[in-house]
């Protein structure tokens, strides 16, 4: 049997375009002589549809799309993902389902068993879990079909009490197939392979795994669909961050060794995201070449899909001559084209001439349009009008933030006038510690670097410059500064970034408490100071724009903490 995998980029709620893509995929599979074509989880409506699932009209459109696709499943079997109404059990109204189509009929539905509710997932809010498990008989083969999270429990995951493959293996299947929508983080490809391979060795069955690709607001899907044979050998790994098609012959997936003949070093090790990077220092792991290259691709795709799927074409950002705006600008130009990204330089009393020169040089190298709009007169007018209230009080954070909010107003004015979307340039280190101004440099329609630590921003700059100097070297080597007061440096307000990022990673990604972090060798007062900064600034992050997610714990919908809380403060 020949099986095709269609790794495609869907648009949530765009039933016409999604259906067209799926039909194109069926056509490609037919042209390759495939017997079966596999698509990804909830491909019909796009993943994650969230509260659209509560609209009856949305579900009707899903069924209408399935009906259209069914007409093309004539001489070929088709596995697609879609919500399905629950007509067979008590509980919620819907299942997360795989529809098996053949001979222009819906032959059967497979329902997802394990419904994740952690991080960015909230599936149990909408779906009823499966309570029966059956293989699909097709062309003399028994297919054990599962959906995404169903393979993330091999009996050792405390989140779940059921292992779906244990329910299916007693029916003696010949092949495992998984329809997935597995989001990217910089550990995910390692974790994904470490799940698929153990399944093939444990059950002595091959597996084909079809993942989606593309960005849906904050979430980026990286593709990387797989096929493993029954000996745990990877026979197919599809492209990352791109649409792709793959073809596999089940004859090449058949076991060639008995279980006792498998060499001990073939025994796989299952990794969770928490395990990846253990043995490296935090900074080595965060900034290794593989992670930085993937993060770059994810951010480019995140910007590109956000604009294309929303119907936007042009972006604007503030270009300060600093590292964050420089990296954001370079990535945006790669994603949207140089002519579609406008940079605005807004020097103040405290901006150094080299910062303006660096920002100009960057835009001239990239070829994007830029403007220089000094804010000195606007800033002075604010101080003049506020003088009766400020009453000669010493210069403070208030005057610093007036500059930042002036820049935010200017950027939004230009954006409104010409139809731009403002890209935010704040990084994760700044967002963690509250080192940013609400309604000023925290303004934006999309955050590009909000899940990227400062040390990773520097690594990204070096990645961007790997073939030629795009970002001026002076931007990379100079001490970072907000330039909101004389001789200001980030280190005046924050610990050095290599220390700060290491502590933040232990707290945010690895969810370690202060005692655990101190036990890693960090100075107790420093840990207390950093964690307090993180927690007291939750109110700022709560008002922030969507952040492109590249880590296993991004700010936003995947990290839900109360604003008013005493813990660790």
């Amino acid at each position: 049997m020949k099986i095709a995998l269609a790794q495609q980029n869907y648009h949530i709620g765009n039933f016409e375009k999604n259906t067209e893509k799926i039909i194109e995929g069926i056509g490609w599979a037919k042209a390759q002589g495939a017997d079966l074509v596999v698509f990804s989880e909830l491909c019909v409506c796009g993943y994650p549809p969230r509260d659209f699932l509560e609209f009856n009209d949305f579900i009707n459109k899903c069924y209408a799309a399935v009906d259209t696709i069914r007409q093309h499943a004539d001489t070929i079997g088709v596995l697609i993902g879609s919500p399905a109404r629950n007509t067979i059990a008590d509980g919620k109204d819907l299942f997360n389902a795989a529809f098996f189509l053949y001979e222009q009929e819906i032959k059967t539905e497979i329902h997802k068993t394990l419904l994740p509710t952690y991080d960015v997932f909230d599936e149990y809010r909408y779906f009823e879990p499966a309570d029966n498990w059956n293989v699909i008989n097709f062309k003399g083969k028994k297919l054990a079909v599962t959906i995404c999270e169903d393979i993330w429990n091999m009996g050792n995951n405390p989140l779940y009490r059921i292992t779906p493959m244990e329910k299916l293996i007693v029916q003696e299947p010949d092949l495992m197939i998984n329809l997935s929508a597995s989001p990217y983080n910089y550990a995910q490809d390692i974790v994904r392979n470490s799940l698929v391979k153990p399944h093939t060795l444990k059950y002595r069955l091959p597996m084909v795994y079809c993942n989606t690709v593309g960005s849906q607001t904050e979430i980026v899907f990286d593709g990387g669909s797989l096929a493993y044979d029954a000996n745990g050998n990877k026979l197919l790994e599809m492209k990352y961050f791109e649409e792709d098609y793959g073809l596999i012959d089940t004859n090449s997936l058949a076991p060639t060794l008995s279980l006792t003949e498998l060499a001990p070093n073939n025994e796989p090790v299952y990794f969770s995201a928490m395990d990846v990077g253990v043995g490296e220092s935090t900074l080595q792991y965060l900034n290794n070449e593989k992670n930085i290259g993937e993060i770059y691709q994810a951010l480019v795709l995140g910007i590109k899909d956000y604009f294309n799927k929303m119907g936007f074409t042009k972006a604007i950002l503030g270009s300060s001559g600093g590292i964050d705006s420089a990296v954001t600008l370079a990535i945006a130009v790669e994603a949207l084209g140089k002519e579609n990204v406008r940079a605005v330089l807004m020097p103040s009393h405290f901006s150094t001439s080299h910062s303006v020169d660096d920002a100009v040089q960057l835009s001239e190298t990239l070829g994007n349009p830029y403007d220089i709009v000094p804010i000195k007169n606007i800033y002075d007018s604010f101080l003049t009008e506020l003088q009766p209230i400020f009453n000669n009080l010493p210069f403070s954070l208030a005057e610093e933030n007036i500059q930042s909010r002036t820049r935010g107003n200017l950027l939004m004015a230009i954006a409104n006038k010409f139809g731009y979307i403002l890209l935010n340039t704040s990084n994760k280190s700044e967002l963690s510690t509250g080192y940013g101004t609400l309604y000023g440099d925290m303004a934006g329609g999309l955050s590009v670097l909000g899940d990227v630590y400062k040390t990773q921003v520097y690594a990204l700059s070096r990645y961007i410059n790997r073939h030629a100097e795009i970002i001026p070297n002076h931007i990379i080597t100079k001490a970072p500064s907000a330039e909101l007061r004389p001789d200001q440096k980030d280190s005046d307000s924050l610990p050095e970034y290599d220390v700060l990022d290491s502590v933040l990673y232990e707290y945010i990604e690895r969810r370690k408490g202060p005692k655990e972090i101190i036990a890693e060798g960090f100075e107790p007062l420093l840990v207390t100071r950093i964690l307090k900064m993180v927690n007291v600034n939750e109110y700022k992050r709560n008002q922030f724009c969507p952040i492109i997610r590249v880590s296993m714990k991004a700010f936003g919908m995947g990290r839900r903490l109360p604003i008013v809380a005493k813990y660790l403060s």
Side-chain angles (χ1 to χ4, degrees):
M1 182 189 297
K2 289 184 179 180
I3 300 176
L5 284 76
Q7 178 178 291
Q8 297 180 322
N9 186 344
Y10 305 108
H11 185 184
I12 294 169
N14 191 341
F15 294 99
E16 296 79 7
K17 187 66 176 178
N18 295 345
T19 299
E20 180 183 311
K21 275 182 177 286
I22 292 167
I23 292 170
E24 286 176 2
I26 294 171
W28 181 89
K30 286 180 177 178
Q32 307 307 309
D35 300 286
L36 174 69
V37 56
V38 182
F39 295 86
S40 59
E41 178 182 15
L42 294 184
C43 58
V44 166
C45 60
Y47 186 95
R50 297 184 182 151
D51 280 6
F52 277 138
L53 293 166
E54 297 176 349
F55 289 76
N56 191 51
D57 179 66
F58 188 86
I59 305 304
N60 288 340
K61 289 181 181 295
C62 291
Y63 273 92
V66 171
D67 192 58
T68 299
I69 296 164
R70 174 178 60 81
Q71 308 301 320
H72 298 265
D74 43 13
T75 59
I76 188 172
V78 176
L79 275 167
I80 54 172
S82 176
R85 289 192 173 95
N86 179 4
T87 61
I88 60 175
D90 295 331
K92 298 180 179 67
D93 292 337
L94 299 172
F95 292 108
N96 182 339
F99 283 76
F100 176 57
L101 314 176
Y102 183 53
E103 296 176 334
Q104 298 185 324
E105 297 177 359
I106 298 174
K107 293 293 187 180
T108 190
E109 293 177 20
I110 299 295
H111 299 150
K112 188 173 182 177
T113 305
L114 307 181
L115 302 172
T117 58
Y118 56 86
D119 196 59
V120 296
F121 305 104
D122 205 2
E123 289 197 35
Y124 194 64
R125 176 184 177 99
Y126 311 104
F127 297 119
E128 182 69 13
D131 61 2
N132 64 82
W133 301 269
N134 293 293
V135 298
I136 295 173
N137 290 289
F138 179 61
K139 294 195 172 182
K141 299 288 186 182
K142 293 180 179 180
L143 311 179
V145 177
T146 56
I147 302 172
C148 200
E149 190 82 359
D150 287 349
I151 64 166
W152 287 68
N153 183 26
M154 293 191 66
N156 57 357
N157 189 332
L159 288 176
Y160 306 112
R161 297 180 180 180
I162 294 175
T163 302
M165 268 309 301
E166 294 294 330
K167 305 291 185 179
L168 292 165
I169 195 66
V170 295
Q171 299 173 50
E172 300 183 346
D174 300 294
L175 174 69
M176 297 179 285
I177 299 175
N178 186 264
L179 287 70
S180 189
S182 177
Y184 168 76
N185 67 65
Y186 39 79
Q188 193 70 353
D189 59 334
I190 297 172
V191 175
R192 185 182 297 133
N193 277 274
S194 83
L195 280 165
V196 174
K197 181 173 182 174
H199 271 77
T200 61
L201 290 176
K202 178 176 181 179
Y203 298 113
R204 301 296 292 128
L205 293 173
M207 178 183 285
V208 294
Y209 169 99
C210 187
N211 193 28
T212 193
V213 71
S215 180
Q216 309 289 0
T217 312
E218 308 101 326
I219 305 174
V220 178
F221 297 93
D222 58 338
S225 300
L226 299 165
Y228 272 77
D229 69 16
N231 300 320
N233 299 309
K234 187 193 303 181
L235 300 185
L236 175 68
E237 186 168 29
M238 291 164 63
K239 292 178 181 177
Y240 284 87
F241 304 103
E242 295 181 47
E243 291 191 318
D244 196 13
Y245 291 109
L247 188 70
I248 197 80
D249 192 323
T250 57
N251 290 330
S252 66
L253 299 176
T256 57
L257 299 172
S258 70
L259 189 58
T260 56
E261 291 174 312
L262 285 172
N265 60 7
N266 262 356
E267 288 299 319
V269 178
Y270 165 67
F271 290 101
S272 72
M274 294 289 194
D275 298 321
V276 179
V278 171
E280 299 178 81
S281 74
T282 299
L283 294 182
Q284 284 176 327
Y285 172 58
L286 290 178
N287 300 318
N288 72 42
E289 185 177 353
K290 173 185 178 296
N291 287 345
I292 295 303
E294 289 177 358
I295 289 169
Y296 179 83
Q297 293 180 75
L299 296 176
V300 169
L301 180 57
I303 295 172
K304 187 180 295 185
D305 270 9
Y306 187 79
F307 276 71
N308 289 343
K309 291 176 181 179
M310 292 290 288
F312 304 140
T313 57
K314 294 183 181 293
I316 190 171
L317 56 84
S319 183
S320 67
I323 190 73
D324 299 316
S325 61
V327 168
T328 303
L329 179 57
I331 293 172
V333 165
E334 175 69 20
L336 303 175
K338 61 185 180 182
E339 69 281 2
N340 293 318
V341 186
R342 187 171 185 171
V344 184
L345 291 63
M346 296 166 285
S348 73
H349 300 67
F350 309 114
S351 299
T352 58
S353 58
H354 64 71
S355 290
V356 177
D357 294 342
D358 290 341
V360 169
Q361 182 184 338
L362 173 63
S363 282
E364 289 183 346
T365 300
L366 289 170
N368 66 278
Y370 67 92
D371 305 279
I372 302 177
V373 183
I375 67 168
K376 178 181 183 299
N377 293 339
I378 302 171
Y379 175 67
D380 287 343
S381 69
F382 266 107
L383 295 186
T384 298
E385 295 301 321
L386 288 167
Q387 169 59 27
I389 299 172
F390 281 12
N391 195 25
N392 296 318
L393 289 170
F395 183 97
S396 70
L397 187 64
E399 285 81 2
E400 291 186 29
N401 285 342
I402 287 170
Q403 297 167 70
S404 184
R405 291 189 177 113
T406 297
R407 291 177 173 129
N409 271 317
L410 290 171
L411 288 167
M412 285 307 303
I414 299 169
N416 291 162
K417 197 70 174 177
F418 297 103
Y420 292 97
I421 297 299
L422 175 59
L423 295 178
N424 182 273
T425 63
S426 300
N427 62 66
K428 191 170 187 175
S429 306
E430 294 170 344
L431 290 177
S432 298
T433 55
Y435 193 60
T437 304
L438 273 176
Y439 326 119
D441 61 340
M442 291 183 73
L446 180 68
S447 170
V448 179
L449 300 179
D451 199 27
V452 179
Y453 288 111
K454 187 77 167 190
T455 53
Q456 292 178 306
V457 176
Y458 280 105
L460 280 168
S461 72
R462 294 188 290 272
Y463 180 84
I464 291 165
N465 282 7
R466 66 196 183 280
H467 300 308
E469 186 176 318
I470 307 260
I471 297 174
N473 190 56
H474 186 253
I475 290 178
I476 300 172
T477 58
K478 68 185 177 183
S481 171
E483 295 190 335
L484 298 175
R485 63 174 183 265
D487 300 319
Q488 183 181 31
K489 300 289 184 291
D490 287 7
S491 56
D492 299 338
S493 303
L494 299 174
E496 293 296 334
Y497 281 115
D498 57 347
V499 177
L500 175 64
D501 289 355
S502 296
V503 173
L504 291 174
Y505 180 78
E506 294 299 318
Y507 181 48
I508 297 167
E509 271 84 352
R510 294 192 176 273
R511 278 88 89 187
K512 291 183 179 179
K515 291 182 179 179
E516 296 169 287
I517 298 173
I518 292 167
E520 297 286 333
F522 295 99
E523 201 275 320
L525 290 178
L526 179 67
V527 171
T528 300
R529 176 189 168 202
I530 291 172
L531 268 53
K532 183 174 182 180
M533 284 192 288
V534 176
N535 291 329
V536 300
N537 284 291
E538 191 66 38
Y539 77 100
K540 284 188 177 182
R541 294 187 291 272
N542 198 259
Q543 302 177 64
F544 195 58
C545 58
I547 298 169
I548 300 174
R549 175 187 182 270
V550 296
S551 78
M552 58 183 171
K553 185 58 68 174
F555 293 126
M557 63 169 295
R559 188 176 186 271
R560 308 175 197 182
L561 294 183
I563 292 174
V564 180
K566 179 68 175 173
Y567 177 62
L568 298 178
S569 63

